Amino acid sequence: MSKKQSISLSGQFPCELPDGSLFRAAFESSRAVMFLIDPQTAHVLGANAAACEFYGYDSDEVRRGVTAADVSMLSPQQIRQLFESLSTGGATRFTSRHRLKSGELRDMELDAAPITLADGNPCLFFIGHDITERKQAERSLRHREGLLRAILASAADGIAFKDAEGVYREVNPSFCRMAGLPCEGILHRRGEVFVPATLAVADSAQHDSAKLAVAAPDSVEPVAVTPVVETSLGETVTRVFITSPGVHLSGRQGEASACQTYELTHNTPCGARHLSVQRSPVFDSNGERLGEVSISRDMTERREAEAALVKSEGLLRAMLQSAQDSIYVTDENDVLCELNQTFCQHMGRTRAELLNRPLAEVFSGEELRVQLSTNALARETREPVSFTQRMQPQSQEYWINLVKTAVLDSQGKCLGVVAMGRDITAQRVAEVALRQSERRLAGLIRQAPVGVFETDARGQLVFANERMQRQTGRTLERLCGEGWIGSIVREDREAFLAVWNDALANKREVDCEVRVLNARGKGQWMSCRIRPMTDAANRFSGYLGVLGDISERKKAESMRSDVESVVRHDLKSPLGSMQNAMELMELLGPLNAEQAQVVAEVRTLTRRMQDLITLSIDLHAMEAGAFKPALTPVDLCAVVETQRAELRPLVDGKGLRLSLISDCPGGEFYVLGERRLLDAVFSNLLKNAAEASPEGDEITVRLSLEGPLAEIFVRNHGEVPKSIRDRFFEKYATAGKSGGTGLGTYSARLMVRTMGGTLSLNTEEPGATTLIVRLPAAQPASVPLLAQSGK
């Protein structure tokens, strides 16, 4: 119909519509809803039978005055604007919601056109179609589309739909994130345009398998399509496994589904991602393939967790099998579900014989009772259970220290018990031996003829045996702490404390003689030897001391000292006479060469005897700590050469060689000391070396500098007897020498100490003995002046 059409009809509607006219026939016979409305008054001028039936009004009600406002849901103003637009604009089509007489609302699609009646009055002609169901379907579709879009937008999995041509028609944000592209870069494009090589090859393989699957949907036997695609991306090799429809990995058993599932590795800017992809074809109601939908799930974290779990299990199993401790795990029914090789060795059985066996088949008797009760206790208390058990598999005996702990899941349910056992058989044997040794030691200490005491690291006494308690007349309570110091005679206490405090500060040993008050309050001479102790970790732990009664020895020494004093006094007179006689012979002269040599040797020996007598007096002062040496630079090379002359009879008689090796190329080796003391020291050491050396052997004296110290090594073949090595420098210590007094090495060390040095014994070289003398080296700048002044 044109925009504006005039219809000339005779008379008023409906009277103006002549019978037999085409418009009237079509108007009255049409099943379509038709009605006429006056655009000025909005009254319905006429309605056909279909309209009356649809709206629920009869012809009389229409004739009496039904208006557009009674039917349309538009407001009166909107109705006027619509009628004006139709009157001026011509025919049009629009939709509107109408109300039936029953009150029901219906969606209508209306074709409207202005017409002119025969009397010349304008009129609007409407043809209506009920589109309520279509509108409801459209609204339902929009609701479903909104719901689907919300699901797609919120889904964590990547979802995409491709049509039959391989063009993406729908993708969700997760899929775009997995592809690393915005949604605009994917929609309406084919996959191979933007998908990386890995996915493109997978798409191709998937497309081929899908064709095969669709080509034979009714096959009796399922089509087996399992292509394997390998794509190298840099250093990454991707393997894509595609299952055939017959496998039904993603569908229920027996379901006619073409779903296909595979996994791939996809390299992204953020790193490689592992994806699990499931694809399904989409068919319409006629069975025509519209495309396919794919769901991609990011399995990276899961695969990494699985890989970490496999690695952790491998490490755990390796640690379990390499552990030296015995480890086994039981479930809630006390069945062995895991064990290591050490446990198998302890049980004397193989892994196959023990695994998945109840404890009742592994242990028996008291061992089984202990195992079951400790398992139950660990499960009940959820706390570690520690105990020691003796095992006797195959006639062997093991002592195992076990710790059992309940294994709990995340909900706190007990899954079983893990047991870790350490073999303490050797420790047990050692403990038994230690207890026996301690009993023997305790018996020896109780029966020891000397007093034995122990102090802590601070010097506080913590133990004293019965002998020491009797020696001091004090109980253990009175001796503990510093009480034992009070048992020393007051006159000796200050000197002892000086030595004792120095030993505490430097962790040194103490070897001295003091007077101790006995039970009668009288002073009694004791030999006090205190040595530092260390624990099993070689850490300093305290001191162990021994008190020996030397009263009788002191009496003998006093008597011997008196005798020596008399002897020294009596010897001085003849020596003086001999010296005078040699001077008289020189005055009476003249003497020939041989006589002059004899007189010189006698005079030298006389002076040597006088020095020895004087030295014996000085040794007593050294023992008392009252001797103050006059230290000057002394050439040790000259000292050794002097001793070479004195020892010539002994050295020549045994065919020995005395070699001197010095680090100083100038031939002089100066130390700070006193010449007469150094002569005495090396006289004793070289004489002992010569006496101990086998005939025809060599005695070596090596002089070297070690920082501020001068080190002298006196080495000879022949070993010091083991019986006196520990007390080699003690007074009166001698072995294997007829007429030996045991005073040579004692006096030598005493003189070296007096000069600020040390003397030690080294017997590490088999078949040889080395004595090491360490003395302060003389300062090079002071040697020439002092040496010259002493000439």
Side-chain angles (χ1 to χ4, degrees), residues 297-347:
R297 176 164 295 179
D298 193 341
M299 307 290 288
T300 305
E301 286 75 13
R302 176 178 172 182
R303 292 294 177 257
E304 290 176 351
E306 290 175 351
L309 178 61
V310 171
K311 181 179 179 181
S312 176
E313 288 179 347
L315 291 174
L316 179 61
R317 188 169 298 279
M319 293 172 61
L320 188 69
Q321 296 302 326
S322 62
Q324 296 182 357
D325 291 344
S326 178
I327 304 175
Y328 58 98
V329 183
T330 58
D331 61 14
E332 62 274 14
N333 297 318
D334 293 327
V335 175
L336 287 170
C337 55
E338 189 55 75
L339 47 90
N340 69 342
Q341 187 61 31
T342 306
F343 179 73
C344 297
Q345 293 174 357
H346 285 163
M347 299 308 300

Short mmCIF file of all heavy atoms in Angstrom, two decimals, residues 297-347:
data_model
loop_
_atom_site.label_atom_id
_atom_site.label_comp_id
_atom_site.label_asym_id
_atom_site.label_seq_id
_atom_site.Cartn_x
_atom_site.Cartn_y
_atom_site.Cartn_z
N ARG A 297 41.60 -26.34 29.40
CA ARG A 297 41.86 -26.17 30.84
C ARG A 297 43.36 -26.07 31.06
O ARG A 297 44.14 -26.90 30.56
CB ARG A 297 41.29 -27.34 31.63
CG ARG A 297 41.60 -27.29 33.12
CD ARG A 297 40.71 -28.22 33.89
NE ARG A 297 39.33 -27.78 33.82
CZ ARG A 297 38.30 -28.43 34.41
NH1 ARG A 297 38.53 -29.54 35.08
NH2 ARG A 297 37.08 -27.99 34.29
N ASP A 298 43.78 -25.05 31.82
CA ASP A 298 45.19 -24.85 32.13
C ASP A 298 45.61 -25.85 33.21
O ASP A 298 45.17 -25.79 34.35
CB ASP A 298 45.43 -23.42 32.61
CG ASP A 298 46.92 -23.08 32.64
OD1 ASP A 298 47.74 -24.00 32.66
OD2 ASP A 298 47.23 -21.87 32.64
N MET A 299 46.45 -26.79 32.81
CA MET A 299 46.90 -27.86 33.71
C MET A 299 48.31 -27.61 34.21
O MET A 299 48.93 -28.51 34.77
CB MET A 299 46.84 -29.20 32.98
CG MET A 299 45.51 -29.51 32.34
SD MET A 299 44.23 -29.84 33.56
CE MET A 299 44.77 -31.44 34.15
N THR A 300 48.82 -26.38 34.02
CA THR A 300 50.23 -26.13 34.35
C THR A 300 50.52 -26.40 35.81
O THR A 300 51.45 -27.14 36.16
CB THR A 300 50.60 -24.68 33.98
OG1 THR A 300 50.29 -24.45 32.61
CG2 THR A 300 52.08 -24.44 34.22
N GLU A 301 49.72 -25.76 36.69
CA GLU A 301 49.97 -25.95 38.12
C GLU A 301 49.82 -27.40 38.53
O GLU A 301 50.60 -27.92 39.34
CB GLU A 301 49.01 -25.08 38.95
CG GLU A 301 49.34 -23.60 38.95
CD GLU A 301 48.99 -22.92 37.64
OE1 GLU A 301 48.25 -23.55 36.84
OE2 GLU A 301 49.43 -21.78 37.42
N ARG A 302 48.81 -28.06 37.94
CA ARG A 302 48.60 -29.47 38.28
C ARG A 302 49.77 -30.32 37.83
O ARG A 302 50.26 -31.18 38.57
CB ARG A 302 47.30 -29.96 37.66
CG ARG A 302 47.03 -31.44 37.87
CD ARG A 302 45.71 -31.83 37.26
NE ARG A 302 45.51 -33.27 37.30
CZ ARG A 302 44.45 -33.89 36.79
NH1 ARG A 302 43.49 -33.17 36.22
NH2 ARG A 302 44.35 -35.19 36.84
N ARG A 303 50.23 -30.09 36.57
CA ARG A 303 51.35 -30.89 36.06
C ARG A 303 52.63 -30.58 36.84
O ARG A 303 53.42 -31.48 37.13
CB ARG A 303 51.56 -30.59 34.58
CG ARG A 303 50.43 -31.10 33.70
CD ARG A 303 50.37 -32.62 33.69
NE ARG A 303 49.24 -33.11 32.91
CZ ARG A 303 48.13 -33.58 33.42
NH1 ARG A 303 47.99 -33.61 34.74
NH2 ARG A 303 47.15 -34.02 32.66
N GLU A 304 52.83 -29.30 37.17
CA GLU A 304 54.00 -28.96 37.97
C GLU A 304 53.92 -29.60 39.35
O GLU A 304 54.93 -30.07 39.89
CB GLU A 304 54.13 -27.45 38.09
CG GLU A 304 54.53 -26.77 36.78
CD GLU A 304 54.56 -25.26 36.90
OE1 GLU A 304 54.11 -24.75 37.95
OE2 GLU A 304 55.04 -24.59 35.97
N ALA A 305 52.71 -29.58 39.94
CA ALA A 305 52.53 -30.23 41.24
C ALA A 305 52.78 -31.73 41.14
O ALA A 305 53.40 -32.34 42.01
CB ALA A 305 51.13 -29.94 41.79
N GLU A 306 52.28 -32.34 40.03
CA GLU A 306 52.50 -33.78 39.85
C GLU A 306 53.99 -34.08 39.67
O GLU A 306 54.50 -35.05 40.22
CB GLU A 306 51.71 -34.26 38.64
CG GLU A 306 50.20 -34.27 38.86
CD GLU A 306 49.44 -34.63 37.60
OE1 GLU A 306 50.09 -34.70 36.53
OE2 GLU A 306 48.22 -34.83 37.68
N ALA A 307 54.65 -33.21 38.86
CA ALA A 307 56.09 -33.42 38.67
C ALA A 307 56.85 -33.25 39.98
O ALA A 307 57.77 -34.01 40.30
CB ALA A 307 56.62 -32.44 37.62
N ALA A 308 56.44 -32.21 40.76
CA ALA A 308 57.08 -32.00 42.06
C ALA A 308 56.81 -33.17 42.99
O ALA A 308 57.68 -33.59 43.77
CB ALA A 308 56.59 -30.70 42.68
N LEU A 309 55.58 -33.72 42.90
CA LEU A 309 55.23 -34.86 43.75
C LEU A 309 56.07 -36.08 43.37
O LEU A 309 56.58 -36.79 44.24
CB LEU A 309 53.74 -35.17 43.62
CG LEU A 309 53.23 -36.37 44.42
CD1 LEU A 309 53.47 -36.15 45.92
CD2 LEU A 309 51.76 -36.62 44.14
N VAL A 310 56.20 -36.31 42.06
CA VAL A 310 57.02 -37.44 41.61
C VAL A 310 58.47 -37.27 42.06
O VAL A 310 59.10 -38.22 42.55
CB VAL A 310 56.94 -37.58 40.08
CG1 VAL A 310 57.95 -38.60 39.58
CG2 VAL A 310 55.53 -37.96 39.66
N LYS A 311 58.97 -36.03 41.94
CA LYS A 311 60.35 -35.77 42.38
C LYS A 311 60.47 -35.95 43.88
O LYS A 311 61.44 -36.55 44.37
CB LYS A 311 60.74 -34.35 41.98
CG LYS A 311 62.15 -33.98 42.37
CD LYS A 311 62.49 -32.56 41.92
CE LYS A 311 63.91 -32.17 42.34
NZ LYS A 311 64.23 -30.79 41.92
N SER A 312 59.48 -35.42 44.61
CA SER A 312 59.53 -35.55 46.07
C SER A 312 59.45 -37.01 46.49
O SER A 312 60.18 -37.44 47.39
CB SER A 312 58.37 -34.76 46.69
OG SER A 312 58.33 -34.93 48.08
N GLU A 313 58.58 -37.78 45.81
CA GLU A 313 58.48 -39.20 46.14
C GLU A 313 59.79 -39.92 45.81
O GLU A 313 60.22 -40.80 46.55
CB GLU A 313 57.31 -39.82 45.38
CG GLU A 313 55.94 -39.40 45.90
CD GLU A 313 54.82 -40.02 45.11
OE1 GLU A 313 55.10 -40.57 44.02
OE2 GLU A 313 53.67 -39.96 45.57
N GLY A 314 60.41 -39.51 44.68
CA GLY A 314 61.69 -40.13 44.34
C GLY A 314 62.76 -39.82 45.36
O GLY A 314 63.52 -40.70 45.78
N LEU A 315 62.81 -38.54 45.78
CA LEU A 315 63.79 -38.16 46.80
C LEU A 315 63.51 -38.87 48.11
O LEU A 315 64.42 -39.34 48.79
CB LEU A 315 63.76 -36.64 46.99
CG LEU A 315 64.30 -35.80 45.83
CD1 LEU A 315 64.09 -34.32 46.10
CD2 LEU A 315 65.79 -36.07 45.61
N LEU A 316 62.21 -38.92 48.47
CA LEU A 316 61.85 -39.58 49.72
C LEU A 316 62.23 -41.05 49.70
O LEU A 316 62.77 -41.59 50.66
CB LEU A 316 60.35 -39.41 49.98
CG LEU A 316 59.80 -40.07 51.25
CD1 LEU A 316 60.48 -39.47 52.48
CD2 LEU A 316 58.30 -39.90 51.34
N ARG A 317 61.96 -41.69 48.55
CA ARG A 317 62.30 -43.12 48.46
C ARG A 317 63.81 -43.32 48.49
O ARG A 317 64.30 -44.26 49.13
CB ARG A 317 61.69 -43.71 47.20
CG ARG A 317 61.82 -45.22 47.09
CD ARG A 317 60.98 -45.76 45.96
NE ARG A 317 59.57 -45.48 46.16
CZ ARG A 317 58.78 -46.20 46.93
NH1 ARG A 317 59.25 -47.25 47.57
NH2 ARG A 317 57.52 -45.89 47.07
N ALA A 318 64.54 -42.41 47.82
CA ALA A 318 65.99 -42.52 47.84
C ALA A 318 66.53 -42.32 49.25
O ALA A 318 67.43 -43.05 49.70
CB ALA A 318 66.60 -41.50 46.88
N MET A 319 65.99 -41.31 49.95
CA MET A 319 66.42 -41.08 51.33
C MET A 319 66.04 -42.26 52.21
O MET A 319 66.80 -42.67 53.09
CB MET A 319 65.78 -39.79 51.84
CG MET A 319 66.28 -38.53 51.16
SD MET A 319 65.34 -37.07 51.64
CE MET A 319 65.67 -37.06 53.42
N LEU A 320 64.84 -42.80 51.95
CA LEU A 320 64.37 -43.92 52.76
C LEU A 320 65.29 -45.12 52.59
O LEU A 320 65.67 -45.77 53.58
CB LEU A 320 62.94 -44.26 52.36
CG LEU A 320 62.20 -45.29 53.23
CD1 LEU A 320 61.92 -44.71 54.59
CD2 LEU A 320 60.92 -45.72 52.55
N GLN A 321 65.67 -45.41 51.34
CA GLN A 321 66.48 -46.59 51.09
C GLN A 321 67.94 -46.39 51.49
O GLN A 321 68.63 -47.36 51.79
CB GLN A 321 66.38 -46.97 49.62
CG GLN A 321 64.98 -47.38 49.18
CD GLN A 321 64.44 -48.56 49.99
OE1 GLN A 321 65.18 -49.45 50.40
NE2 GLN A 321 63.13 -48.55 50.23
N SER A 322 68.41 -45.11 51.46
CA SER A 322 69.81 -44.88 51.81
C SER A 322 70.01 -44.58 53.29
O SER A 322 71.15 -44.46 53.74
CB SER A 322 70.35 -43.70 50.99
OG SER A 322 69.63 -42.51 51.27
N ALA A 323 68.92 -44.44 54.04
CA ALA A 323 69.04 -44.13 55.47
C ALA A 323 69.67 -45.30 56.21
O ALA A 323 69.37 -46.47 55.94
CB ALA A 323 67.66 -43.80 56.06
N GLN A 324 70.54 -44.99 57.13
CA GLN A 324 71.16 -46.02 57.95
C GLN A 324 70.25 -46.48 59.07
O GLN A 324 70.44 -47.55 59.64
CB GLN A 324 72.49 -45.50 58.52
CG GLN A 324 73.54 -45.19 57.47
CD GLN A 324 74.84 -44.74 58.07
OE1 GLN A 324 74.97 -44.60 59.28
NE2 GLN A 324 75.83 -44.50 57.23
N ASP A 325 69.27 -45.64 59.40
CA ASP A 325 68.29 -46.03 60.41
C ASP A 325 67.26 -46.97 59.81
O ASP A 325 66.98 -46.95 58.60
CB ASP A 325 67.57 -44.80 60.98
CG ASP A 325 68.50 -43.94 61.81
OD1 ASP A 325 69.58 -44.43 62.18
OD2 ASP A 325 68.16 -42.78 62.07
N SER A 326 66.68 -47.80 60.66
CA SER A 326 65.63 -48.71 60.24
C SER A 326 64.30 -47.96 60.20
O SER A 326 63.88 -47.39 61.21
CB SER A 326 65.55 -49.90 61.20
OG SER A 326 64.49 -50.77 60.83
N ILE A 327 63.62 -47.93 59.03
CA ILE A 327 62.38 -47.18 58.87
C ILE A 327 61.32 -48.11 58.28
O ILE A 327 61.57 -48.82 57.31
CB ILE A 327 62.58 -45.97 57.93
CG1 ILE A 327 63.70 -45.07 58.47
CG2 ILE A 327 61.29 -45.17 57.78
CD1 ILE A 327 64.04 -43.92 57.55
N TYR A 328 60.14 -48.10 58.88
CA TYR A 328 59.01 -48.85 58.33
C TYR A 328 57.72 -48.14 58.70
O TYR A 328 57.63 -47.41 59.69
CB TYR A 328 58.99 -50.30 58.81
CG TYR A 328 58.94 -50.50 60.31
CD1 TYR A 328 57.74 -50.76 60.97
CD2 TYR A 328 60.10 -50.44 61.07
CE1 TYR A 328 57.69 -50.95 62.34
CE2 TYR A 328 60.07 -50.63 62.45
CZ TYR A 328 58.85 -50.88 63.07
OH TYR A 328 58.81 -51.05 64.43
N VAL A 329 56.69 -48.32 57.83
CA VAL A 329 55.40 -47.65 57.98
C VAL A 329 54.31 -48.71 58.00
O VAL A 329 54.30 -49.62 57.16
CB VAL A 329 55.15 -46.64 56.84
CG1 VAL A 329 53.84 -45.91 57.05
CG2 VAL A 329 56.31 -45.65 56.73
N THR A 330 53.39 -48.58 58.94
CA THR A 330 52.24 -49.47 59.01
C THR A 330 50.97 -48.66 58.83
O THR A 330 50.91 -47.49 59.19
CB THR A 330 52.19 -50.21 60.37
OG1 THR A 330 52.15 -49.24 61.43
CG2 THR A 330 53.43 -51.07 60.56
N ASP A 331 49.93 -49.31 58.25
CA ASP A 331 48.66 -48.63 58.07
C ASP A 331 47.83 -48.75 59.34
O ASP A 331 48.32 -49.21 60.39
CB ASP A 331 47.93 -49.17 56.85
CG ASP A 331 47.62 -50.66 56.98
OD1 ASP A 331 47.73 -51.21 58.10
OD2 ASP A 331 47.28 -51.28 55.95
N GLU A 332 46.54 -48.34 59.24
CA GLU A 332 45.70 -48.36 60.44
C GLU A 332 45.41 -49.76 60.93
O GLU A 332 44.97 -49.96 62.07
CB GLU A 332 44.38 -47.64 60.17
CG GLU A 332 43.52 -48.26 59.09
CD GLU A 332 43.89 -47.77 57.69
OE1 GLU A 332 44.96 -47.17 57.55
OE2 GLU A 332 43.10 -48.02 56.75
N ASN A 333 45.68 -50.78 60.11
CA ASN A 333 45.46 -52.17 60.51
C ASN A 333 46.77 -52.87 60.89
O ASN A 333 46.81 -54.09 60.95
CB ASN A 333 44.78 -52.93 59.37
CG ASN A 333 43.41 -52.38 59.04
OD1 ASN A 333 42.64 -52.05 59.94
ND2 ASN A 333 43.11 -52.25 57.75
N ASP A 334 47.83 -52.09 61.13
CA ASP A 334 49.13 -52.63 61.52
C ASP A 334 49.71 -53.57 60.46
O ASP A 334 50.31 -54.60 60.77
CB ASP A 334 49.04 -53.36 62.88
CG ASP A 334 48.74 -52.42 64.01
OD1 ASP A 334 49.20 -51.26 63.95
OD2 ASP A 334 48.04 -52.82 64.97
N VAL A 335 49.55 -53.17 59.20
CA VAL A 335 50.13 -53.91 58.08
C VAL A 335 51.27 -53.07 57.52
O VAL A 335 51.13 -51.86 57.31
CB VAL A 335 49.07 -54.19 56.99
CG1 VAL A 335 49.73 -54.85 55.78
CG2 VAL A 335 47.96 -55.06 57.54
N LEU A 336 52.41 -53.71 57.26
CA LEU A 336 53.57 -53.00 56.73
C LEU A 336 53.29 -52.55 55.29
O LEU A 336 53.09 -53.38 54.40
CB LEU A 336 54.81 -53.90 56.75
CG LEU A 336 55.44 -54.17 58.12
CD1 LEU A 336 56.49 -55.26 58.01
CD2 LEU A 336 56.06 -52.90 58.66
N CYS A 337 53.27 -51.23 55.07
CA CYS A 337 53.01 -50.70 53.73
C CYS A 337 54.25 -50.04 53.12
O CYS A 337 54.24 -49.70 51.94
CB CYS A 337 51.84 -49.72 53.75
SG CYS A 337 52.02 -48.36 54.91
N GLU A 338 55.29 -49.82 53.91
CA GLU A 338 56.54 -49.28 53.39
C GLU A 338 57.65 -49.60 54.36
O GLU A 338 57.45 -49.63 55.58
CB GLU A 338 56.44 -47.77 53.18
CG GLU A 338 57.61 -47.16 52.43
CD GLU A 338 57.87 -47.81 51.09
OE1 GLU A 338 57.10 -47.57 50.14
OE2 GLU A 338 58.85 -48.60 51.02
N LEU A 339 58.86 -49.84 53.81
CA LEU A 339 60.01 -50.18 54.65
C LEU A 339 61.27 -49.93 53.84
O LEU A 339 61.23 -49.82 52.60
CB LEU A 339 59.93 -51.62 55.15
CG LEU A 339 59.58 -52.70 54.11
CD1 LEU A 339 60.83 -53.26 53.46
CD2 LEU A 339 58.78 -53.82 54.77
N ASN A 340 62.40 -49.83 54.53
CA ASN A 340 63.67 -49.61 53.82
C ASN A 340 64.58 -50.82 54.00
O ASN A 340 64.26 -51.78 54.73
CB ASN A 340 64.34 -48.33 54.31
CG ASN A 340 64.85 -48.43 55.74
OD1 ASN A 340 64.44 -49.30 56.50
ND2 ASN A 340 65.74 -47.53 56.09
N GLN A 341 65.74 -50.76 53.34
CA GLN A 341 66.64 -51.91 53.31
C GLN A 341 67.23 -52.19 54.67
O GLN A 341 67.48 -53.35 55.02
CB GLN A 341 67.75 -51.65 52.28
CG GLN A 341 68.66 -52.84 52.03
CD GLN A 341 67.91 -54.05 51.50
OE1 GLN A 341 66.92 -53.91 50.79
NE2 GLN A 341 68.38 -55.24 51.84
N THR A 342 67.46 -51.13 55.46
CA THR A 342 68.04 -51.34 56.79
C THR A 342 67.12 -52.18 57.66
O THR A 342 67.57 -53.06 58.41
CB THR A 342 68.32 -49.98 57.46
OG1 THR A 342 69.12 -49.18 56.59
CG2 THR A 342 69.04 -50.17 58.78
N PHE A 343 65.81 -51.92 57.59
CA PHE A 343 64.85 -52.72 58.35
C PHE A 343 64.89 -54.17 57.90
O PHE A 343 64.82 -55.09 58.73
CB PHE A 343 63.45 -52.13 58.17
CG PHE A 343 62.37 -52.90 58.89
CD1 PHE A 343 62.25 -52.84 60.27
CD2 PHE A 343 61.49 -53.69 58.18
CE1 PHE A 343 61.27 -53.56 60.93
CE2 PHE A 343 60.50 -54.41 58.84
CZ PHE A 343 60.39 -54.34 60.22
N CYS A 344 65.01 -54.38 56.58
CA CYS A 344 65.10 -55.76 56.08
C CYS A 344 66.34 -56.46 56.64
O CYS A 344 66.29 -57.64 57.01
CB CYS A 344 65.14 -55.76 54.56
SG CYS A 344 63.65 -55.07 53.77
N GLN A 345 67.46 -55.71 56.70
CA GLN A 345 68.68 -56.31 57.24
C GLN A 345 68.52 -56.64 58.71
O GLN A 345 68.97 -57.70 59.17
CB GLN A 345 69.84 -55.34 57.04
CG GLN A 345 70.22 -55.12 55.58
CD GLN A 345 71.27 -54.05 55.41
OE1 GLN A 345 71.69 -53.42 56.39
NE2 GLN A 345 71.71 -53.82 54.18
N HIS A 346 67.89 -55.75 59.46
CA HIS A 346 67.67 -56.04 60.88
C HIS A 346 66.77 -57.25 61.10
O HIS A 346 66.97 -58.01 62.05
CB HIS A 346 67.06 -54.82 61.57
CG HIS A 346 68.04 -53.71 61.79
ND1 HIS A 346 67.67 -52.42 62.08
CD2 HIS A 346 69.40 -53.70 61.76
CE1 HIS A 346 68.75 -51.68 62.22
NE2 HIS A 346 69.81 -52.43 62.04
N MET A 347 65.80 -57.41 60.19
CA MET A 347 64.87 -58.54 60.36
C MET A 347 65.41 -59.81 59.70
O MET A 347 64.84 -60.89 59.90
CB MET A 347 63.51 -58.20 59.76
CG MET A 347 62.83 -57.00 60.41
SD MET A 347 62.72 -57.13 62.20
CE MET A 347 61.76 -58.62 62.38
#
